[in-house]
């Protein structure tokens, strides 16, 4: 296996892990995954050939690999489910319920300008409250199913 294939596989695996965990809506987008992995690999190799340290090469590649993937809508829904509804279901059901609630909550996000640092802004609390209400209404109307 040549170096580029090894690097591409490494970056692809790292990206796939993040998408599976925090961005399930992108986890099957192979074009996105291949493109980002390739860009990160090329950036790493370019930085290395320019004489940068391994640490700097990784920093550059990671910036490209994870650009726009620091704030996760799914992680927000999952956090709400874990914090606000954990007493009404078993721990092992929390993630699957959050996955079910994700499309229900998706319209709520459209009212906010989401950036990588959104979780640190005051509007995050409003979003959190709105998602909590959306899920509570859904449970009241549909039960836990």
């Amino acid at each position: 296996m040549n170096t580029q294939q090894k690097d591409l596989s490494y970056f692809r695996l790292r990206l796939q892990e993040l998408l599976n965990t925090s961005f399930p809506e992108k986890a099957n987008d192979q074009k996105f995954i291949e493109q980002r992995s390739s860009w990160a690999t090329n950036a790493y190799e370019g930085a290395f050939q320019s004489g940068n340290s391994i640490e700097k090469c990784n920093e550059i590649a990671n910036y490209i690999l994870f650009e726009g993937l620091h704030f996760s809508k799914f992680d927000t829904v999952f956090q709400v489910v874990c914090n606000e509804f954990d007493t009404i279901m078993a721990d092992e059901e929390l993630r699957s319920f959050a996955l079910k609630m994700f499309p229900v909550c998706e319209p709520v996000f459209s009212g906010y300008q989401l950036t990588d640092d959104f979780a640190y802004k005051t509007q995050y609390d409003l979003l959190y409250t709105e998602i909590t209400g959306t899920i509570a209404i859904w449970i009241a109307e549909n039960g836990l199913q």
Side-chain angles (χ1 to χ4, degrees), residues 63-121:
Y63 179 82
I64 290 169
L65 190 65
F66 300 124
E67 182 179 9
L69 298 173
H70 297 285
F71 178 78
S72 165
K73 295 179 198 177
F74 175 73
D75 284 350
T76 303
V77 172
F78 185 50
Q79 182 179 18
V80 169
V81 168
C82 289
N83 292 345
E84 308 300 330
F85 301 98
D86 64 321
T87 59
I88 61 173
M89 66 187 83
D91 286 350
E92 59 272 5
E93 297 171 335
L94 294 172
R95 183 169 171 82
S96 62
F97 185 73
L99 285 166
K100 183 189 292 188
M101 290 296 97
F102 184 60
V104 172
C105 295
E106 185 77 32
V108 175
F109 291 99
S110 65
Y112 297 87
Q113 188 173 10
L114 304 176
T115 58
D116 280 347
D117 63 346
F118 183 77
Y120 307 105
K121 295 185 176 184

Side-chain angles (χ1 to χ4, degrees), residues 8-34 36-37 65-66 69 95:
L8 187 58
S9 175
Y10 169 76
F11 290 119
R12 182 181 310 217
L13 289 171
R14 290 195 61 215
L15 181 58
Q16 188 70 61
E17 180 181 9
L18 174 69
L19 297 179
N20 289 345
T21 304
S22 298
F23 296 89
E25 72 277 16
K26 293 183 187 235
N28 295 317
D29 187 345
Q30 291 306 310
K31 183 178 179 181
F32 174 78
I33 294 166
E34 288 173 28
R36 280 291 179 92
S37 301
L65 190 65
F66 300 124
L69 298 173
R95 183 169 171 82

